[in-house]
Amino acid sequence: MFNDLSSPLALLATRRSGKPRDLVAPGPTRDQLVAMIQLAGRTPDHGKLAPWRFVIVPDERRDAFAARLVGAYRAERPAAARLELDAMDQFARQAPALVVAFSSPRLESHIPLWEQELSAGAACMNLLHAAHAHGFAAGWLTGWPAFSDAVRDLFGAAPERIAGFMFIGTPGRALEERPRPDPAALWSEWAG
């Protein structure tokens, strides 16, 4: 069983991302999304900087986001073929819910940028855990849109960076396990 909600340990042991293209309605309500984001904020954060933020793209704004995403892609790649543009349009429309996650570093802080970026990644993972704990599946995507300044600028400005697009919904098909690293290769003991 994937995303087993019987206990916190069971959920962590069975957590599995859903492919955004396979996530269907029902999706979370706005209140559920806000609750998930609040849980995501319970992440390690040296200096209490909250060097991350989340933007909910509401359902009624998905068409506008898709049009702006396609426009940004076309502006950067004028020779883009129809299939590429269709892929950008489909990217914006996946899953019932979309939350855009940002690394929002506080450059004036003495806390190293690397620590702030790690905290942003941890907040993203907490958002996925929160989505799964609410009984949904979620997928974290990056790709071209996450690295485009034009797409970032739809939501904010430098020095922020898009950490990922978090798609949330109900699995439209059974979640599949993916290959995992050999547990023995994940750790060692320091011998001094």
Side-chain angles (χ1 to χ4, degrees), residues 32-43 52 54 122-123 126-127 129-131 133-134:
Q32 287 173 313
L33 286 172
V34 169
M36 291 174 199
I37 290 167
Q38 288 172 337
L39 292 171
R42 299 188 62 84
T43 198
W52 24 259
F54 299 96
N126 273 353
L127 180 62
H129 285 310
H134 274 84

Side-chain angles (χ1 to χ4, degrees), residues 31 42 53 56 59 62 73 89 155 167 172-173 175:
D31 287 345
R42 299 188 62 84
R53 69 182 182 96
I56 297 170
D59 190 48
R62 295 289 279 279
Y73 192 84
D89 183 75
F155 303 96
F167 293 94
R173 66 164 83 180
L175 298 176

Side-chain angles (χ1 to χ4, degrees), residues 100-174:
V100 185
F102 289 85
S103 170
S104 300
R106 309 296 185 241
L107 300 180
E108 72 283 358
S109 173
H110 70 283
I111 305 301
L113 179 61
W114 175 237
E115 289 188 35
Q116 295 185 51
E117 291 170 338
L118 289 171
S119 183
C124 290
M125 191 66 236
N126 273 353
L127 180 62
L128 294 183
H129 285 310
H132 297 150
H134 274 84
F136 296 100
W140 176 355
L141 295 183
T142 54
W144 174 84
F147 299 98
S148 165
D149 288 346
V151 175
R152 187 253 344 262
D153 292 349
L154 297 174
F155 303 96
E160 288 189 313
R161 294 172 60 189
I162 295 174
F165 296 86
M166 310 309 205
F167 293 94
I168 306 168
T170 299
R173 66 164 83 180

Side-chain angles (χ1 to χ4, degrees), residues 3 15-19 125 128 132 137-140 175-176 180:
N3 300 340
R15 191 207 69 77
R16 177 68 182 101
S17 293
K19 292 179 181 174
M125 191 66 236
L128 294 183
H132 297 150
W140 176 355
L175 298 176
E176 298 174 8
R180 302 287 175 177

